[in-house]
Amino acid sequence: MKPLNDLGTFDFVWVRFVLEYFLAEGPAVVENISRIVKPGGTLCLIDLDHNCLNHYGIPSRLEKTLFDIVTGLQEKADFDPYVGRKLYSFLFDLGYLDIDV
């Protein structure tokens, strides 16, 4: 993964709907992005959780199809439909202190 240092540093960094495409490297991506946040700055992570998998009242065949598609994306395209629930832990593991959900 290429470092982002050449971008400079920022008081506020907004990352939305990016981490779902990095199942294997999610924590490393957040760590890399975290390096461009100035001390005392804010890193705002926003992503989906359980993407397309919790619709209510859909036919069982459609539900199975959605689960099969998402499973295929996880296995073949490094897609993480559950990254939303991991965001807190990514920041906690990096030593962030004031984490708001």
Side-chain angles (χ1 to χ4, degrees), residues 6 9 12 25-26 34 36 38-40 51 58 60 71-72 79 85:
D6 57 336
T9 57
F12 183 83
E25 295 185 33
S34 186
I36 64 170
K38 289 181 180 179
N51 187 15
I58 63 173
S60 59
T71 299
F79 184 75
R85 64 185 73 179

Side-chain angles (χ1 to χ4, degrees), residues 16 46 54 79 91 96 98 100:
R16 182 175 183 215
I46 303 169
N54 57 349
F79 184 75
L91 296 172
Y96 278 76
D98 188 14
D100 193 7

